[in-house]
Amino acid sequence: MQLRYIGLLMACTMATTAFAQTTNTTAPTRRVRKLEPAEVNILGSYYSQDGNHSPVTGGIGTEQLTDVTPTIIVNVPLDTVTNLNISFGMDFYSSASTDNIDYNVSSASSSDLRTHLNLGISRRNSLTRSTRSLFLGGSTEYDYQSLSVGAGWAQESRDGNRELSLTGMIYYDSWTLIYPEELRKGAPWVNTNKRQSYNLSATLSQVINQKMQASLSADIVYQSGLLSTPFHRVYFREQEMAQVEQLPDQRLKYPVGLRVNYYVNDYVTTRFFYRFYSDNWGVTGNTIELETPIKFGPFFSFYPFYRFHTQTGANYFAPYKEHSLNQEFYTSDYDLSGFTSHKAGIGLRYSPLSGIAKFGLPFSKNKTSLKGIELRGANYWRSDGLKAFIISVDLNFTLPRR
C-alpha cells in the first residue's frame, strides 16, 4: 500500500561516576547517580494526496489517498550506559486508488489499518567509547506482514569529534496475494508471496570546526522475492485485457549521502543534505534538501525547508497501454517513472528551558513535564501531476525517574 513509513533512530547517552569528598580517616563512599528522565514523544500526522496515474488501474485514474498516523516513541535510560527505545504507531488510511482493485465503491480495500512496533536497545562502553545496539520490529496490515531484526555498532574518537557507525537490518515480508478482480480466475501470476531485504549502512560524522559539522553515509540494499505489487494492473498495446505487474525478483540499491550543518550565529543555522541514488533497475536519482532554523529568542524557532528530487525511470516502466506483450517485465507505477518533485514547508518549535507545563500522572508522585512542541506543514508536488499535503505535530515529554 502507499504508506509513508516512519524511520527509527537510536540515541545513546554517556554518564560519568561521581564520588563524595572524604577525609583520610573515612573510606570513600560512592554516590548513586540519578538516572536521566525517560523521554516520550507523541507524534501525529495527517497526509493527503491526489493525482491521475494510479498503478492499480494501469497508470491512469485517481491516486487519492489520506493517511492519519499517530505514533508514540519512548526512550528509557535503564542505567547510566544502557538505553531502551520503543516505538509504536498506527497508520489509518482511506484510498480511492486501492478501492479500484475490486471495482466496487467502498470495498474492503478502500481503507485499512497498519500497526507497527519497533524495539531497540543500546549500550555504551565508556572505556572504549563504543556503542552497540540491537533492533527488533514488526508491522501488519490486512494484506502484508513484516518482521525486522538488526544490529548496530558505533565508535567515537578519543576527542569526541568523530564517530563511525555501522548498522545492519534484515526485513522478512509476507504478502496475501490479492489480484485485480477480473484476473483472479487465471493461473497464479507470481510464484512467491515472500520478500527479503538486507540493508547495510555506514555513517562517518565529523566535527570540522566550532561552526561546522558534516557526515557522509553510504548504504547497500539487496532485495529478493516478490518485488512487484500483485494488484497493480498493466495494459498493453496489443490487447484490451490487463495483466498483473511483473518485476525482477532481485534489486540492488546503493545510495550515498552528504549532510552538512553550519552554525551562522546564535539565531541562524543552516542544514544541507545531498543524496545520490542508483539501482540495477535503471533508476538514478539526485536529492537536495535545505533547512534553515531561525531563532526568535532562546526558546522559539521556525525553520523553512525545501527538498528537490529528480530521477530517471526504471527500465521496466511505461505509461498506460505503451507496453508490448513480448516484454518480460513491465509496470505502469509512476513511482518508477522519470520525474522531478518538490517539497516545501515550514516548521515551528517551542521548547523553553524549564518546560511548557508540569502535571501529575495517576499512581505516581513525580511530575511529568511537557518540554516542547513542534509543528510542521509541507506541500509536495511532482512533474507527473501528483500533489500532496502533510501536517504533523510532535509533543515532547519527560518522565522523571526515582
Side-chain angles (χ1 to χ4, degrees), residues 242-308:
Q243 295 188 20
V244 170
E245 176 184 82
Q246 298 289 333
L247 290 169
D249 60 4
Q250 294 183 346
R251 190 177 187 182
L252 183 63
K253 310 175 184 180
Y254 27 93
V256 178
L258 172 66
R259 187 178 300 276
V260 178
N261 296 339
Y262 183 76
Y263 172 84
V264 179
N265 53 43
D266 290 342
Y267 301 99
V268 179
T269 303
T270 60
R271 298 170 181 169
F272 168 84
F273 175 73
Y274 168 76
R275 188 184 77 152
F276 171 80
Y277 170 90
S278 185
D279 65 29
N280 65 339
W281 285 10
V283 179
T284 300
N286 291 275
T287 305
I288 295 176
E289 295 182 17
L290 297 171
E291 183 178 303
T292 307
I294 302 172
K295 283 189 175 183
F296 287 88
F299 310 130
F300 178 79
S301 64
F302 82 96
Y303 50 96
F305 56 89
Y306 171 74
R307 176 183 182 270
F308 173 79

Side-chain angles (χ1 to χ4, degrees), residues 64 78 165 203 239 246 252 273 291 341 366:
Q64 186 276 331
L78 301 180
S165 62
T203 301
Q239 67 180 30
Q246 298 289 333
L252 183 63
F273 175 73
E291 183 178 303
S341 68
N366 296 324

Side-chain angles (χ1 to χ4, degrees), residues 135-372:
F135 310 100
L136 177 65
S139 66
T140 181
E141 55 186 294
Y142 88 100
D143 69 332
Y144 182 78
Q145 291 76 44
S146 178
L147 175 68
S148 62
V149 294
W153 170 85
Q155 179 65 55
E156 186 180 299
S157 64
R158 188 180 297 273
D159 60 6
N161 289 333
R162 185 185 310 105
E163 183 179 81
L164 174 65
S165 62
L166 300 174
T167 302
M169 296 292 299
I170 303 175
Y171 297 86
Y172 301 96
D173 305 330
S174 177
W175 293 78
T176 299
L177 297 178
I178 300 176
Y179 299 119
E181 182 180 39
E182 73 277 15
L183 299 175
R184 293 174 186 171
K185 295 182 180 180
W189 290 94
V190 297
N191 56 16
T192 182
N193 69 333
K194 309 293 184 183
R195 176 172 63 196
Q196 299 82 42
S197 301
Y198 306 90
N199 299 9
L200 179 63
S201 62
T203 301
L204 177 63
S205 304
Q206 175 69 53
V207 176
I208 298 175
N209 53 45
Q210 291 183 342
K211 291 190 173 186
M212 183 180 293
Q213 298 178 352
S215 64
L216 181 65
S217 60
D219 297 82
I220 297 178
V221 180
Y222 174 74
Q223 295 179 297
S224 64
L226 178 59
L227 303 185
S228 59
T229 303
F231 50 79
H232 283 182
R233 295 177 176 89
V234 176
Y235 290 88
F236 298 84
R237 293 191 297 264
E238 298 92 337
Q239 67 180 30
E240 292 298 320
M241 177 67 71
Q243 295 188 20
V244 170
E245 176 184 82
Q246 298 289 333
L247 290 169
D249 60 4
Q250 294 183 346
R251 190 177 187 182
L252 183 63
K253 310 175 184 180
Y254 27 93
V256 178
L258 172 66
R259 187 178 300 276
V260 178
N261 296 339
Y262 183 76
Y263 172 84
V264 179
N265 53 43
D266 290 342
Y267 301 99
V268 179
T269 303
T270 60
R271 298 170 181 169
F272 168 84
F273 175 73
Y274 168 76
R275 188 184 77 152
F276 171 80
Y277 170 90
S278 185
D279 65 29
N280 65 339
W281 285 10
V283 179
T284 300
N286 291 275
T287 305
I288 295 176
E289 295 182 17
L290 297 171
E291 183 178 303
T292 307
I294 302 172
K295 283 189 175 183
F296 287 88
F299 310 130
F300 178 79
S301 64
F302 82 96
Y303 50 96
F305 56 89
Y306 171 74
R307 176 183 182 270
F308 173 79
H309 173 77
T310 182
Q311 71 175 49
T312 60
N315 298 330
Y316 319 112
F317 171 82
Y320 175 77
K321 297 205 78 169
E322 292 191 18
H323 280 288
S324 175
L325 285 171
N326 61 13
Q327 293 177 271
E328 181 181 6
F329 302 116
Y330 37 84
T331 178
S332 293
D333 185 349
Y334 273 73
D335 287 345
L336 293 173
S337 70
F339 64 83
T340 60
S341 68
H342 308 264
K343 182 179 180 180
I346 192 169
L348 303 171
R349 182 185 296 114
Y350 179 58
S351 182
L353 189 62
S354 59
I356 298 173
K358 293 186 178 181
F359 50 91
L361 291 177
F363 313 109
S364 176
K365 297 180 180 180
N366 296 324
K367 292 284 187 179
T368 298
S369 176
L370 174 59
K371 298 292 291 183

